[in-house]
Amino acid sequence: MALLMEKGSKPTTDSEVSDLEGIAALKQSTAVELKEQGNQYVKMGKKHYSEAINCYTRAINQQALTDSETSLLYSNRSHVNLLLGNYRRAITDAEEAIKLCPSNVKAFYRAAKASLSLNLLSEAKYFAEKGLELDSSNVELEKLVRQISALKMEQDKQQAEINKALAVAKDLVSAFGDRGLKMGKAMYRELTGLKKPVLDKNKIMHWPVLFLYAEVMYSNFIEDFCEMDTFSMHLDMMYSESSPPLPWDTENNYTREEIELYYEFLTFMSLTHQVGSGVCLPETKVLQYLLEGTAGANIECEKEEKDTSEHGFSRGCILLPSLLFTCPLF
């Protein structure tokens, strides 16, 4: 009897051949029946999708159908997984269907749809275009290709903006290093917002600078303070005769001749002794600060953080994004 034969052995009698043929026919019939049951479950709606998947799986496991027929089973199971939102499984089943039958257009379509749902636009575009090569008049695939191309164009545009923002931020970090500067956590952001230092085309840095008038609880904000400028230049403009009077300085106490300027500047006197409350940030954190409010705000800065205690600081730690200056009278 064929049922008693060892696995891998060949039939030696007509009876064994007949038995094997009968078993193969039974398995084939079972696989076809399971496929039809699966199709019926799909038509019955979402509540029966899991039963449809079970039928397709059992049909595949019969290993009794041709590659082309088995490809349809994988493609059908991919379809149900797609309907259920099991997009990874849908892609896997569609790829198996394509391996077994490279001309299975529906499998390419379902792989493209599942990839699109996962925002895998390059993969989605590949599957959709491959499907169109097989069926150039397929309306659904044409529509899918247009949709994917539009999303891919937008994604590429966003990536270009991210790359630009990251390049600008890295240039700033490099400029800080060239100037011997280490950056600390931002302060007074309720007054400065997301303003940050900027490098111009000549690699000259422009800082946002905040003037605080502690006695009257008032502030002035200079968005572009060139590193080549002096405070005197700005004070001369702020308190020139042509400038409007300060609305809160009713007694005219704040004049160019009377005002004195003090600046807050955190310094590190040695590798271990710190003056002030600021803590220097590692390069990755500085990059994150510089990327805030840009297209690259959500990217991860993966560069390994260096322990700043290993390095000396030639010029101290500046609070990002603004230099903080206090301007009391007398």
Side-chain angles (χ1 to χ4, degrees):
M1 293 179 63
L3 291 176
L4 300 178
M5 292 174 58
E6 295 183 3
K7 187 176 181 180
S9 61
K10 295 182 178 181
T12 57
T13 66
D14 291 341
S15 176
E16 288 178 344
V17 171
S18 178
D19 287 346
L20 287 176
E21 289 176 348
I23 292 171
L26 180 62
K27 294 179 69 174
Q28 183 180 25
S29 175
T30 300
V32 172
E33 184 178 343
L34 286 168
K35 174 190 173 184
E36 294 303 322
Q37 288 179 3
N39 292 345
Q40 288 301 315
Y41 280 129
V42 173
K43 293 177 182 178
M44 292 168 66
K46 189 173 183 179
K47 291 183 178 179
H48 299 277
Y49 286 170
S50 60
E51 294 168 288
I53 287 178
N54 181 55
C55 286
Y56 293 138
T57 301
R58 289 166 58 197
I60 291 169
N61 291 340
Q62 294 298 316
Q63 298 181 341
L65 301 178
T66 64
D67 285 352
S68 178
E69 292 170 326
T70 305
S71 174
L72 292 177
L73 289 172
Y74 276 110
S75 181
N76 288 355
R77 194 170 71 177
S78 174
H79 172 60
V80 182
N81 276 316
L82 187 60
L83 293 174
L84 287 171
N86 300 328
Y87 302 124
R88 293 287 181 184
R89 293 179 184 177
I91 293 172
T92 299
D93 280 345
E95 288 177 332
E96 287 297 325
I98 292 167
K99 287 179 184 177
L100 291 168
C101 181
S103 61
N104 190 333
V105 176
K106 286 186 177 180
F108 279 107
Y109 175 79
R110 287 158 185 168
K113 286 281 288 185
S115 298
L116 177 59
S117 298
L118 292 172
N119 203 35
L120 302 173
L121 299 185
S122 295
E123 292 85 345
K125 188 171 185 288
Y126 168 80
F127 287 124
E129 289 180 344
K130 283 292 183 181
L132 270 181
E133 289 178 9
L134 296 170
D135 184 4
S136 59
S137 60
N138 190 301
V139 176
E140 291 300 317
L141 277 172
E142 288 178 347
K143 180 180 177 181
L144 197 57
V145 167
R146 289 195 298 270
Q147 182 183 0
I148 294 168
S149 296
L151 290 172
K152 187 73 167 62
M153 186 179 300
E154 181 62 26
Q155 187 184 70
D156 291 344
K157 179 181 176 182
Q158 291 176 355
Q159 188 59 50
E161 292 174 352
I162 290 172
N163 292 341
K164 181 180 178 180
L166 185 58
V168 169
K170 286 184 175 181
D171 284 346
L172 272 170
V173 170
S174 178
F176 297 154
D178 293 341
R179 290 158 174 77
L181 299 174
K182 296 289 179 177
M183 309 308 293
K185 190 175 181 180
M187 294 176 63
Y188 298 99
R189 301 189 79 180
E190 68 277 10
L191 299 176
T192 64
L194 294 177
K195 292 296 182 180
K196 308 175 186 73
V198 175
L199 276 179
D200 64 24
K201 62 182 181 180
N202 296 317
K203 301 300 181 182
I204 295 173
M205 191 172 294
H206 299 254
W207 294 88
V209 174
L210 183 66
F211 285 84
L212 299 177
Y213 301 86
E215 288 187 341
V216 293
M217 298 297 290
Y218 195 81
S219 64
N220 278 336
F221 185 37
I222 300 177
E223 296 187 12
D224 186 345
F225 193 114
C226 177
E227 65 180 345
M228 309 302 291
D229 292 350
T230 64
F231 291 110
S232 296
M233 292 169 54
H234 286 275
L235 291 174
D236 288 343
M237 288 188 291
M238 292 168 62
Y239 294 96
S240 66
E241 293 182 359
S242 59
S243 297
L246 300 172
W248 44 265
D249 184 20
T250 56
E251 297 181 4
N252 199 32
N253 289 325
Y254 284 76
T255 63
R256 181 65 183 91
E257 293 75 20
E258 299 294 338
I259 198 166
E260 292 183 1
L261 181 144
Y262 300 85
Y263 62 88
E264 185 176 343
F265 191 77
L266 300 180
T267 60
F268 285 73
M269 304 304 294
S270 66
L271 297 181
T272 57
H273 179 63
Q274 175 183 324
V275 178
S277 59
V279 176
C280 277
L281 299 175
E283 184 175 314
T284 52
K285 293 295 183 183
V286 176
L287 274 174
Q288 288 175 358
Y289 271 117
L290 294 173
L291 288 170
E292 286 184 7
T294 72
N298 296 321
I299 68 173
E300 293 292 332
C301 300
E302 298 179 351
K303 185 173 180 179
E304 183 179 355
E305 296 183 1
K306 296 181 180 179
D307 184 353
T308 55
S309 65
E310 297 177 358
H311 307 279
F313 302 99
S314 60
R315 293 182 60 187
C317 180
I318 295 177
L319 298 178
L320 189 77
S322 57
L323 295 170
L324 306 177
F325 299 94
T326 308
C327 303
L329 184 64
F330 312 125

